[in-house]
Amino acid sequence: MKKFLLLLLVSSSLFSQSEYPQDYFRNPLDITLVLSGTFAELRSAHFHSGLDIKTQRKIGLKVYTAAEGYVSRIKISHYGYGKALYVTHPNGYTTVYAHLQKFSDRIEKYIKECQYEKESFEVEVFPSTEELIVAPNEVIAYSGNTGGSGGPHLHFEIRDNQERPINPMMFGIDIKDSKSPFVSAVYAYPKDKNAVINGKNERVPLRLIPKQNGDYEVEKITAYGNIGFGVTSYDKQDLAPNNNGVSNIQTFFNGNKSLEIDFKRFSFDETKHIKRLIDYEYFKTKKSRIQKLFIEENNPLSLYKDAYDNGYINVEDSTSSVFKARIRDYKGNETWINIPIRGKYEILKPLEDDFSNKTTIYSDQATELKSGLITVNFYKNTVYEDVDIDFSVSSDTLHLHEDKIPLQKNFYINYDLSNYKAEHLDKIFIARLYGYYKRPSYVSTKRKGNILSAGSKTFGTYTLAMDTVAPIIKPVNFKDKKWLSKYRYLKVKIDDDLSGISKYRATVNGQWILMEYDYKTKMLVHDFNDNIVKDTKNDLKIIVTDNVGNSSTFEATFFRK
């Protein structure tokens, strides 16, 4: 143990000077690695922080520790990583294993003791260096589909001693990949109102021409002024059909390097700024991610290298020039895009902007919007740049632009409920209306006196909703007065139609029992192997509460011997 701690301390001081070890970490599964998701892949609101490893469409595969170390963190949550295990190693790195079905017996025993002590399914604990030491090649868990997982797989990460995720392939974790990335679309962007692309001052789709060698040529464009480009690109591995993320993009203007985007490491503090890398408006309207090959203001991402003029190029009148982009996956397979440009100065007819119903939100200062009994507060740096938005109020409905503008942090909506009856206040919440039918979706709401408040990072339409209906509780595999001696699990389905489930509590004969909750299946499950239920006659009581405090109680008696 002393040797382990000494190595950990020494490695912390040497980490920044050492190269990534190539033979230290093993494959966490005993199968050929096939990925459904690559490192730094573009997700809806973040960069993917690890490798999503396919588990042959099933759960329960043995998960091995990638190297010796100790379990430094265990987190169980309804959403996100679900059941997750963190192992810190003597070389200072930490490996993460997420969406697990369950842990190994001794780790399962440890965490269940914590859950019963806290009387909570959701827990987060940080064992000491001596409590859960793991050996090389030890089975520490079994793969699953818990949390926000969209199907059975193992999410695997390697983090440095600053908690920054790093591409596991940099440590020798090998994936078979001989295929070059492919490009599905290319766009050109004007930097300002003086730039012109094919006679327009707006985002322009470019005609992409595939070449026989796998590269791409773009039909010659005319341009003038400062412009940038964007691409929609993906990679494929040999053993999977998935469209995955690329590893590196470099751009060149007339042979000189203009910009590099390197997707090999990032910090969790910056991952939300993916909204600044992609064309957010296009993603929200077309459901496709264009990666901008230029850096706009207030973009703090550390992925960029060698950014000359922030990746923009300047095209002069009556000149011929060439812009090129090289897109690579981690294995070095690459694809080139060639864009010939002819400089052409054009005077565009100025567009008449209609600002009559627009409200300006400033990036460098706080802004407050108010109409009737509704107030919206934007703090400094909520938006990346000054924007003009639609703002209007109709009765209790707040129209706050459309979800096409990326935000750095929450704005706050405040409703004054002075006109509402006191007996209704506890059942009212702030909801965002979404989808074709404008269904209300609960936004985490707080009330202080007559003021109802909620924060959001998404523009859209908001309103007040009232939930007076309690959650539903239904037994799944048993009935009242039934013998369950041969049953391993007790299963109950819970649901709430409007504000959503907030919490639940289950007891047998007055004693709290652990029931695992899967929001995807809406199922509560108790494992009788916890050995908490020992009596022959057992009175079950389950209380489920929604987000505005409506509660339902389910009671039944079952027998075991």
Side-chain angles (χ1 to χ4, degrees):
M1 187 62 202
K2 290 182 179 179
K3 180 181 178 182
F4 178 86
L5 292 176
L6 179 61
L7 283 170
L8 188 60
L9 291 172
V10 171
S11 66
S12 296
S13 62
L14 296 178
F15 173 78
S16 61
Q17 304 172 16
S18 62
E19 294 182 356
Y20 299 117
Q22 294 301 295
D23 300 314
Y24 192 87
F25 295 114
R26 60 153 285 174
N27 175 349
L29 298 174
D30 257 349
I31 58 174
T32 300
L33 293 189
V34 180
L35 301 185
S36 59
T38 51
F39 182 80
E41 192 169 272
L42 308 181
R43 299 293 171 89
S44 294
H46 64 278
F47 297 103
H48 188 231
S49 56
L51 302 179
D52 280 348
I53 305 172
K54 294 191 176 191
T55 54
Q56 302 171 335
R57 298 182 179 180
K58 55 189 177 184
I59 63 176
L61 271 61
K62 292 179 180 179
V63 177
Y64 296 84
T65 179
E68 67 173 331
Y70 73 95
V71 177
S72 54
R73 181 184 179 191
I74 307 172
K75 185 175 182 179
I76 298 178
S77 55
H78 297 145
Y79 309 103
Y81 282 8
K83 294 185 179 182
L85 199 62
Y86 300 70
V87 176
T88 296
H89 304 279
N91 62 356
Y93 294 98
T94 296
T95 50
V96 182
Y97 315 78
H99 305 306
L100 302 169
Q101 176 196 29
K102 62 180 181 178
F103 307 109
S104 64
D105 288 346
R106 68 187 180 105
I107 299 176
E108 191 81 7
K109 180 176 182 296
Y110 177 94
I111 197 61
K112 282 199 172 184
E113 288 177 356
C114 296
Q115 290 173 307
Y116 275 96
E117 179 183 351
K118 297 176 183 293
E119 295 191 354
S120 175
F121 169 61
E122 291 191 299
V123 293
E124 183 176 18
V125 295
F126 299 87
S128 69
T129 56
E130 298 182 358
E131 287 185 276
L132 293 172
I133 297 174
V134 292
N137 304 312
E138 179 179 336
V139 176
I140 53 174
Y142 297 85
S143 67
N145 187 31
T146 58
S149 171
H153 73 281
L154 174 67
H155 175 88
F156 176 68
E157 295 179 21
I158 299 179
R159 300 182 184 180
D160 66 16
N161 60 358
Q162 298 180 52
E163 282 293 300
R164 294 176 299 186
I166 305 171
N167 190 345
M169 295 178 71
M170 296 179 69
F171 295 82
I173 302 295
D174 192 39
I175 307 296
K176 190 173 183 181
D177 184 1
S178 61
K179 298 180 179 180
S180 297
F182 69 94
V183 179
S184 61
V186 179
Y187 300 82
Y189 291 78
K191 182 181 180 182
D192 50 45
K193 292 184 178 181
N194 298 317
V196 183
I197 304 158
N198 287 348
K200 298 179 180 180
N201 181 249
E202 60 188 33
R203 177 185 61 224
V204 177
L206 306 181
R207 182 167 175 261
L208 196 62
I209 306 170
K211 300 172 70 174
Q212 288 188 345
N213 65 354
D215 292 336
Y216 297 85
E217 187 84 18
V218 170
E219 189 174 57
K220 180 180 285 189
I221 67 171
T222 62
Y224 176 81
N226 293 311
I227 67 172
F229 293 91
V231 298
T232 302
S233 60
Y234 302 97
D235 187 44
K236 288 182 182 289
Q237 283 83 47
D238 289 3
L239 303 177
N242 309 74
N243 290 339
N244 297 128
V246 302
S247 181
N248 184 277
I249 302 176
Q250 296 177 342
T251 65
F252 305 85
F253 183 53
N254 291 335
N256 297 313
K257 190 175 182 182
S258 181
L259 179 70
E260 181 174 358
I261 309 175
D262 194 37
F263 298 97
K264 292 186 176 65
R265 185 180 71 185
F266 59 87
S267 70
F268 285 108
D269 288 340
E270 65 180 311
T271 189
K272 64 183 179 181
H273 297 295
I274 187 176
K275 296 177 181 179
R276 208 57 173 154
L277 171 73
I278 65 171
D279 185 327
Y280 187 79
E281 178 193 12
Y282 193 87
F283 169 61
K284 284 297 179 176
T285 55
K286 304 294 185 180
K287 306 305 178 187
S288 177
R289 297 178 180 89
I290 302 172
Q291 300 160 82
K292 296 177 181 177
L293 306 183
F294 50 91
I295 307 172
E296 296 170 296
E297 61 179 307
N298 294 324
N299 183 337
L301 291 172
S302 64
L303 305 172
Y304 302 107
K305 297 180 179 179
D306 302 330
Y308 178 76
D309 199 17
N310 286 327
Y312 291 100
I313 63 171
N314 181 259
V315 181
E316 297 180 351
D317 188 29
S318 303
T319 60
S320 294
S321 51
V322 176
F323 179 89
K324 292 187 177 185
R326 176 167 62 185
I327 303 171
R328 293 186 289 185
D329 60 27
Y330 183 78
K331 298 301 285 286
N333 303 302
E334 63 180 39
T335 296
W336 284 85
I337 306 170
N338 188 71
I339 306 175
I341 306 168
R342 179 169 65 88
K344 182 181 180 182
Y345 176 73
E346 297 183 73
I347 300 177
L348 299 178
K349 181 180 178 181
L351 297 175
E352 295 184 6
D353 293 322
D354 179 16
F355 295 110
S356 57
N357 295 315
K358 300 288 185 181
T359 301
T360 302
I361 307 298
Y362 298 96
S363 63
D364 62 350
Q365 65 186 58
T367 307
E368 181 178 275
L369 308 180
K370 185 174 177 60
S371 179
L373 299 178
I374 301 177
T375 304
V376 185
N377 293 108
F378 294 85
Y379 295 106
K380 184 178 179 181
N381 295 325
T382 299
V383 292
Y384 286 97
E385 56 193 350
D386 297 350
V387 294
D388 296 304
I389 68 167
D390 298 312
F391 167 71
S392 64
V393 172
S394 175
S395 185
D396 289 332
T397 301
L398 165 66
H399 300 281
L400 200 59
H401 209 69
E402 295 180 73
D403 182 18
K404 295 181 179 180
I405 299 174
L407 301 177
Q408 296 196 61
K409 55 186 180 182
N410 283 346
F411 59 85
Y412 293 89
I413 303 169
N414 303 286
Y415 277 82
D416 186 338
L417 303 182
S418 300
N419 294 336
Y420 279 79
K421 293 181 180 180
E423 62 266 28
H424 293 158
L425 296 185
D426 288 340
K427 305 304 179 184
I428 297 174
F429 63 94
I430 298 174
R432 181 170 180 261
L433 301 180
Y434 72 97
Y436 180 80
Y437 294 103
K438 299 299 181 184
R439 178 176 171 80
S441 175
Y442 176 81
V443 181
S444 183
T445 305
K446 296 181 180 180
R447 184 168 70 88
K448 186 174 183 180
N450 286 330
I451 303 299
L452 207 62
S453 301
S456 177
K457 282 185 182 177
T458 306
F459 282 125
T461 303
Y462 293 83
T463 192
L464 292 181
M466 183 180 295
D467 185 358
T468 59
V469 180
I472 297 171
I473 308 174
K474 290 183 179 180
V476 173
N477 65 339
F478 70 98
K479 297 179 180 179
D480 191 30
K481 304 291 195 304
K482 185 173 182 177
W483 282 86
L484 302 179
S485 302
K486 296 182 180 180
Y487 284 58
R488 167 77 184 269
Y489 299 103
L490 184 72
K491 298 181 179 181
V492 175
K493 191 169 186 176
I494 63 175
D495 195 12
D496 187 77
D497 187 52
L498 192 53
S499 63
I501 301 295
S502 172
K503 57 185 178 180
Y504 64 91
R505 180 179 176 83
T507 60
V508 169
N509 300 330
Q511 183 177 3
W512 185 86
I513 61 168
L514 173 65
M515 296 200 80
E516 300 194 357
Y517 176 52
D518 184 348
Y519 77 95
K520 299 190 292 290
T521 60
K522 303 178 181 179
M523 198 77 70
L524 288 176
V525 178
H526 173 70
D527 187 347
F528 284 122
N529 282 1
D530 287 357
N531 202 29
I532 300 298
V533 179
K534 298 179 180 179
D535 296 336
T536 300
K537 180 182 178 182
N538 298 279
D539 295 320
L540 171 68
K541 184 176 183 180
I542 301 175
I543 302 172
V544 180
T545 307
D546 66 19
N547 278 300
V548 297
N550 299 306
S551 291
S552 293
T553 300
F554 171 84
E555 294 183 277
T557 299
F558 64 87
F559 301 90
R560 282 177 63 84
K561 64 177 180 179

